Amino acid sequence: MKCVVCRGRAVARLPAKNAAFCRDHFLAHVERTVSETIRRRRMIGKGERVLVAVSGGKDSLSLADLLVRFGHDVRLLHLHLGIGGPGGYADLSRGFVERFAEARGLPCRIVAFEEAEGWGIDEVVRRKAGRAPCSACGRMKRYWMNRAALEEGARVVATGHNLDDEAATLLGNVLRWDVESLGRQGPLLPETEGFARRVKPLCLLTEKEVALYAILRGIAYVRDECPHAAGARSLFLKEILNRLEERSPGTKSAFYQEFLRRAAPRFSTEADRPDLRPCDRCGAMTTSVICAACRLRDRMATR
Ligand code: Q46
Ligand code: ZN
Ligand code: ZN
């Protein structure tokens, strides 16, 4: 197998792109894909500060590495979710983030839910206060990302979602014809009053491409899975997409990219955020009287 650029020994074969790359040209391919995504979709303005939400996994750490290489003003945000107890998943993840930030001299803010909220996600599950761990986790993550962005003076929050994540979310939304979510789904959610812009610069790279990037760059990342992920529907959807991809390479990327090009604009009016107002409790912008994070806080206070 030879690199399509220099005919050297290939380390990566990308059937979906009908290409193979040597180490250097693979790294160049990843950098080019991400910088083009940022430029074409106007994700990050010149000189703008970016808050990168890092979980300690390969995707978000690779994203932070890339944005630093591109010369952006990067700050890290890590949310310690209170999952897995002492020495468990959340503690392990934090360790990888701390070492990554220290080695690169990057400013890193850590918000531990158990300190900031008085409880972590395991506690929400134990007290049966949320519908599913991931929905409670998701809403608290969104709340803290937004709050931290405002406090850190960043108008942009970048997350490490890759093509596999985005295609699985898309499939899930299509299966339910969730038109509101389809209208909001995309690699860029514009900033609105009280909400930072949210961007996903890795959305055109597969999970395998990002993993190889992390390995080739020597980025150490947490390999353990969140214990709540096991039953998650998204993993099953990813499996289905991988089987489709094996049969006909390129399906995953066509599914997502053609959605963005041809279908997403048709759903965008469904996603208008009408009548945002400050939450009665915490002041975060919301469409209801009390925001989703505060509703969960209320339930935790009474159980
Ligand atoms: S951390 Fe949270 Fe994920 Fe764990 S509880 Fe679910 S959403 S699976 S990315
Ligand atoms: Zn090459
Ligand atoms: Zn609130």
Side-chain angles (χ1 to χ4, degrees):
M1 202 174 48
K2 291 199 165 100
C3 170
V4 293
V5 185
C6 71
R7 312 303 296 160
R9 194 177 71 84
V11 297
R13 203 169 69 86
L14 308 178
K17 299 188 174 82
N18 209 5
F21 294 114
C22 68
R23 180 185 188 278
D24 288 353
H25 288 117
F26 175 75
L27 293 173
H29 148 75
V30 168
E31 288 178 16
R32 195 175 47 244
T33 304
V34 178
S35 66
E36 287 265 290
T37 306
I38 294 173
R39 191 179 55 79
R40 285 216 183 124
R41 302 217 162 241
R42 298 175 193 209
M43 290 182 164
I44 306 168
K46 214 167 170 242
E48 241 177 6
R49 173 168 294 166
V50 194
L51 188 67
V52 186
V54 283
S55 64
K58 62 182 184 320
D59 303 295
S60 53
L61 293 182
S62 296
L63 172 62
D65 171 277
L66 283 158
L67 294 181
V68 169
R69 277 173 202 282
F70 298 159
H72 292 294
D73 173 9
V74 170
R75 287 185 178 223
L76 306 180
L77 166 71
H78 176 66
L79 303 176
H80 182 280
L81 308 168
I83 293 176
Y89 172 70
D91 284 358
L92 282 172
S93 306
R94 176 170 55 194
F96 281 97
V97 169
E98 283 171 342
R99 289 188 289 279
F100 177 90
E102 212 176 280
R104 289 165 170 78
L106 288 171
C108 178
R109 168 142 177 222
I110 295 183
V111 176
F113 283 7
E114 279 154 348
E115 285 161 29
E117 300 285 354
W119 39 263
I121 299 306
D122 280 354
E123 193 61 21
V124 175
V125 176
R126 219 170 49 76
R127 292 199 226 161
K128 298 192 174 68
R131 260 181 298 142
C134 295
S135 90
C137 186
R139 71 168 70 169
M140 295 317 290
K141 278 185 193 167
R142 277 192 294 279
Y143 170 86
W144 277 102
M145 273 188 229
N146 214 38
R147 175 162 162 188
L150 295 174
E151 289 172 358
E152 299 287 324
R155 284 164 68 186
V156 201
V157 176
T159 57
H161 295 89
N162 59 42
L163 177 62
D164 294 51
D165 298 321
E166 292 302 282
T169 304
L170 176 60
L171 181 57
N173 288 337
V174 166
L175 290 174
R176 276 179 276 118
W177 288 115
D178 180 346
V179 289
E180 276 172 34
S181 300
L182 285 168
R184 267 195 308 269
Q185 188 179 354
L188 183 147
L189 203 59
E191 59 190 299
T192 48
E193 198 194 341
F195 289 99
R197 186 181 332 136
R198 293 253 306 276
V199 300
K200 301 169 181 172
L202 305 186
C203 65
L204 300 186
L205 291 173
T206 63
E207 196 169 322
K208 279 191 189 153
E209 286 173 288
V210 183
L212 183 58
Y213 179 84
I215 290 165
L216 294 177
R217 284 277 183 227
I219 297 170
Y221 59 87
V222 65
R223 301 203 179 219
D224 300 50
E225 281 274 355
C226 169
H228 301 300
R233 196 169 104 104
S234 59
L235 285 187
F236 181 53
L237 294 172
K238 281 184 185 175
E239 242 176 76
I240 293 172
L241 285 163
N242 281 337
R243 291 192 58 186
L244 289 169
E245 183 72 22
E246 262 169 42
R247 276 277 187 96
S248 50
T251 302
K252 215 185 277 178
S253 135
F255 178 52
Y256 182 62
Q257 297 217 56
E258 292 308 302
F259 161 74
L260 291 182
R261 203 166 65 85
R262 299 158 76 161
R266 298 172 189 240
F267 292 111
S268 59
T269 51
E270 306 281 348
D272 290 345
R273 285 189 197 161
D275 308 327
L276 281 172
R277 55 185 300 285
C279 165
D280 271 5
R281 299 277 162 76
C282 72
M285 295 307 273
T286 173
T287 48
S288 37
V289 182
I290 294 173
C291 79
C294 285
R295 288 201 297 273
L296 180 60
R297 289 176 183 130
D298 280 355
R299 281 205 300 279
M300 286 302 282
T302 54
R303 277 173 209 237

